[in-house]
Amino acid sequence: MRRHAIEMASMLLTIVVPAYNEAGRLGRTLPKILAWLATFPGGGRLLVVDDGSTDATGDAVRAQMPAHPNLDLVTLSRQGGKGAAVRAGMLAASTEIVGFMDADLSTSLQHVGEAVTAIQNGADVLIGSRGLRRSQTVVRQPIYRRVGARVFRELARQVGGLPDTPDSQCGFKFFRGPVAHDLFGSTVIDRWMFDLEVLRLARYRDYTVQQLPVEWTNDPDSRLRLTVDTLRMVRDLARIRWRFLTGRYGSPGRSA
């Protein structure tokens, strides 16, 4: 990991962006995030986690680092999965508030300020949701993906033992810094089900979880493979449930 010589403690916010083979996309979206952070009054850091990419993802980030001292890069030695990349970034953050967004910016940047305000007003965890009344979907998922989402929510209840939420899988979540370290320091799921593990653990530890209606645009270049990844999802949901049943997540109640 390369760190710039800046005083991170003076910053309020870290945005973590997990990236696997995203060289082309980051060239378009990093400038947008950095431009937004330049206007953010509390000061903000952008931390990209390269999940063992085989393209020039790392180079795309490093090319912009000299002009942006608040841009940093964590590089994983091999692909671990989105959950592993997000975990590495969240644990590397040292600011008061930390959150993660997808590299495609499918959730509008306008919601970052709202997430920060919600946490400053008492939320421990803030999750973006496409399922609330005031949410807006600019480009919808194809029908087969929407049907798959319904099946997934049922699996989450039946296999994972998780209460239904309007949209647990939206890639837009923000946390109080100490809460992020507590939760992600206790998680083990490396792929798609890491969101559900974190949210169930947040409830188990009695953190305040709020939802935020968001404007969202579907990305047709999704990395989700419905056949292979569905089997992994079922396996990971069962693993989460087993870990709770056997006390692997420790005692309930707040740790941060």
Side-chain angles (χ1 to χ4, degrees):
M1 176 181 179
R2 177 185 172 187
R3 292 181 181 272
H4 289 286
I6 57 177
E7 183 54 56
M8 294 299 175
S10 66
M11 292 187 174
L12 173 66
L13 171 69
T14 298
I15 297 176
V16 173
V17 174
Y20 175 69
N21 288 351
E22 297 280 16
R25 184 144 45 193
L26 288 176
R28 300 187 300 271
T29 59
L30 284 187
K32 295 179 181 179
I33 304 174
L34 290 165
W36 185 90
L37 285 173
T39 68
F40 180 61
R45 174 193 187 199
L46 174 56
L47 178 58
V48 179
V49 182
D50 180 357
D51 185 23
S53 297
T54 57
D55 70 350
T57 291
D59 293 336
V61 179
R62 282 186 285 268
Q64 301 198 43
M65 290 171 68
H68 300 282
N70 61 333
L71 173 62
D72 217 335
L73 174 68
V74 171
T75 303
L76 304 186
S77 59
R78 61 181 179 82
Q79 185 188 14
K82 184 178 179 181
V86 169
R87 183 186 304 117
M90 301 300 272
L91 294 178
S94 57
T95 48
E96 181 181 333
I97 298 171
V98 56
F100 65 89
M101 301 180 66
D102 291 334
D104 60 7
L105 295 184
S106 53
T107 303
S108 173
L109 272 168
Q110 70 184 13
H111 300 302
V112 177
E114 297 172 287
V116 170
T117 298
I119 292 176
Q120 290 176 322
N121 288 339
D124 295 311
V125 181
L126 188 288
I127 66 174
S129 175
R130 297 164 290 187
L132 298 177
R133 186 170 55 87
R134 292 189 293 113
S135 302
Q136 294 183 342
T137 299
V138 179
V139 178
R140 301 188 70 187
Q141 292 176 314
I143 184 63
Y144 73 92
R145 296 291 300 273
R146 299 199 296 272
V147 171
R150 294 191 188 101
V151 173
F152 164 76
R153 287 196 292 271
E154 187 60 27
L155 283 172
R157 286 199 299 269
Q158 298 297 328
V159 181
L162 298 162
D164 189 30
T165 59
D167 191 7
S168 60
Q169 296 303 105
C170 181
F172 181 93
K173 296 180 176 67
F174 285 75
F175 306 76
R176 281 199 302 113
V179 173
H181 278 252
D182 176 41
L183 296 177
F184 284 91
S186 303
T187 59
V188 298
I189 302 300
D190 289 337
R191 295 187 180 273
W192 301 106
M193 294 298 94
F194 81 95
D195 296 88
L196 284 171
E197 182 186 28
V198 167
L199 291 179
R200 183 169 180 185
L201 186 57
R203 291 191 174 96
Y204 180 72
R205 295 194 172 162
D206 199 30
Y207 290 124
T208 301
V209 179
Q210 292 185 15
Q211 297 180 61
L212 176 73
V214 296
E215 178 185 300
W216 183 82
T217 302
N218 177 60
D219 173 24
D221 186 28
S222 172
R223 307 297 169 86
L224 179 66
R225 298 166 298 173
L226 288 179
T227 51
V228 174
D229 288 325
T230 296
L231 295 174
R232 286 175 171 168
M233 288 177 186
V234 173
R235 179 199 64 192
D236 285 343
L237 284 170
R239 186 182 181 192
I240 293 168
R241 185 165 192 171
W242 177 251
R243 286 180 62 82
F244 273 105
L245 289 173
T246 56
R248 300 295 182 88
Y249 291 106
S251 302
R254 291 179 174 242
S255 300

